[in-house]
Amino acid sequence: MTTYAVTAASGHLGHLAVEALLERGVAAGDVVAVVRTPEKVADLAAKGVVVRAGDYSDRAALDAALTGVDRLLLVSGSEPGRRIAQHTTVIEAAKAAGVSRIAYTSILRADTSGSPLAPDHKGTEEVLATSGVPFSVLRNSWYLENYTGQLGQYLATGTLLGSTHGGRVSAASRADYAAAAVAVLLADAPEQVYELAGDSFDFTELAATITEVTGTTVTSQDVSTEEHVKALQGFGLDEGTAGFVAALDASIAAGDLETDRDDLAQLIGRATTTLAQAVKAARA
Ligand SMILES: NC(=O)c1ccc[n+]([C@@H]2O[C@H](COP(=O)([O-])OP(=O)(O)OC[C@H]3O[C@@H](n4cnc5c(N)ncnc54)[C@H](OP(=O)(O)O)[C@@H]3O)[C@@H](O)[C@H]2O)c1
């Protein structure tokens, strides 16, 4: 019997990964959902999933949460800048608990990417490499949901504002990435590095697809980084957050989130979710 644990199971990706493990036939009692707030995953507990508390900064809780776990999916945390320390705590706890393999959700080409998000992932990959615990890094590109989650706003304004300057994004759905993570967890001899992504599009194509699927005209408006920051502040974002969002677009402009690798489709054994499918699903 193999016991699987998924961290951040209260988040979108972690929750989907737990569901994917169950769909792949793993018994609920062999799945441990590690969360900060157990009440958030009452639905998983009701299915028989073992729910344990484990904040990434609480070593003692993680030691208890990972007891008896064989394979761990470490979903990256959501506090940029603090994540290397947090992930290190999880990795050290996993090692102490005798976890035999860790799969970690990283970012596309973490070792060379200029994305402001990449340093945390690169640093975590380095910790994994020296940990002595066998591991796989799931270098996830962008989620389609980063855009479909803002569909209402695009439709209301008719505008898709950005500063990507024609840069392309190879994106896939969270469910695709979760299915891939589970495929890697279940595999007996996984690779060490996966570059995971779906089909690519630029913002003009993104706007055109939204227009086509919804019947409401949305046009992309490409502005300079400075103009983008100002516009975001006008929408109520503080200066730091606005700068961060614009830096993500600059990273797209530089090609950091574009790839033609098909590791994701290979892992999940089907084509990745298309942009049009994701927009349709979000519209519904
Ligand atoms: N590839 C992309 O496009 C993309 C986009 C956004 C994020 N990400 C990364 O992918 C991860 C998963 O994405 P998602 O959509 O599932 O994000 P999400 O829905 O925001 O979930 C984040 C999860 O991280 C947990 N978490 C944060 N800090 C933690 C800590 N200190 N200790 C324990 N758990 C902690 C949260 O727990 P609570 O429920 O207790 O808050 C939540 O379960 C994100 O955390 C981020 O690193 C990737």
Side-chain angles (χ1 to χ4, degrees):
M1 187 191 80
T2 304
T3 301
Y4 301 87
V6 176
T7 69
S10 56
H12 293 93
L13 186 73
H15 198 278
L16 285 165
V18 171
E19 288 174 338
L21 275 168
L22 303 182
E23 279 159 23
R24 291 285 305 264
V26 177
D30 295 338
V31 180
V32 180
V34 181
V35 292
R36 280 198 283 206
T37 315
E39 303 84 70
K40 284 191 178 178
V41 290
D43 61 323
L44 297 179
K47 289 180 180 169
V49 170
V50 180
V51 176
R52 295 183 185 158
D55 189 294
Y56 291 171
S57 303
D58 185 344
R59 174 64 195 268
L62 291 166
D63 282 344
L66 298 176
T67 300
V69 169
D70 300 300
R71 297 181 187 179
L72 169 68
L73 173 60
L74 168 53
V75 174
S76 51
S78 50
E79 296 162 281
R82 299 186 58 203
R83 295 187 292 183
I84 298 177
Q86 293 176 336
H87 298 160
T88 300
T89 303
V90 181
I91 293 162
E92 287 173 350
K95 184 174 185 174
V99 168
S100 61
R101 199 196 312 150
I102 300 173
Y104 167 70
T105 61
S106 184
I107 193 169
L108 197 69
R109 294 190 294 270
D111 48 346
T112 56
S113 173
S115 167
L117 294 166
D120 284 353
H121 294 296
K122 183 171 186 269
T124 302
E125 290 191 7
E126 287 165 359
V127 173
L128 279 168
T130 55
S131 70
V133 182
F135 69 94
S136 291
V137 288
L138 311 163
R139 289 180 172 171
N140 293 347
S141 182
W142 240 209
Y143 299 155
L144 286 166
E145 289 88 345
N146 294 347
Y147 301 116
T148 57
Q150 300 180 65
L151 187 60
Q153 185 199 318
Y154 300 150
L155 295 176
T157 60
T159 305
L160 203 163
L161 185 74
S163 48
T164 54
H165 311 330
R168 300 185 73 80
V169 183
S170 302
S173 69
R174 283 195 188 95
D176 291 343
Y177 292 116
V182 164
V184 169
L185 275 188
L186 295 176
D188 285 330
E191 304 287 332
Q192 203 164 56
V193 178
Y194 294 93
E195 302 284 357
L196 302 175
D199 297 339
S200 76
F201 51 83
D202 65 19
F203 271 32
T204 304
E205 291 162 358
L206 174 57
T209 302
I210 292 170
T211 300
E212 197 179 311
V213 171
T214 65
T216 300
T217 301
V218 173
T219 25
S220 69
Q221 189 188 346
D222 192 62
V223 295
S224 70
T225 299
E226 294 70 29
E227 288 167 321
H228 195 187
V229 171
K230 271 195 197 129
L232 291 168
Q233 285 180 280
F235 296 141
L237 270 62
D238 63 62
E239 193 180 351
T241 309
F244 191 77
V245 172
L248 292 175
D249 269 14
S251 162
I252 290 172
D256 288 332
L257 290 173
E258 183 185 4
T259 182
D260 57 8
R261 291 271 295 253
D262 69 347
D263 302 22
L264 180 51
Q266 293 291 338
L267 271 175
I268 62 181
R270 58 171 169 79
T272 55
T273 305
T274 65
L275 176 59
Q277 287 168 335
V279 174
K280 254 178 224 151
R283 183 70 166 151

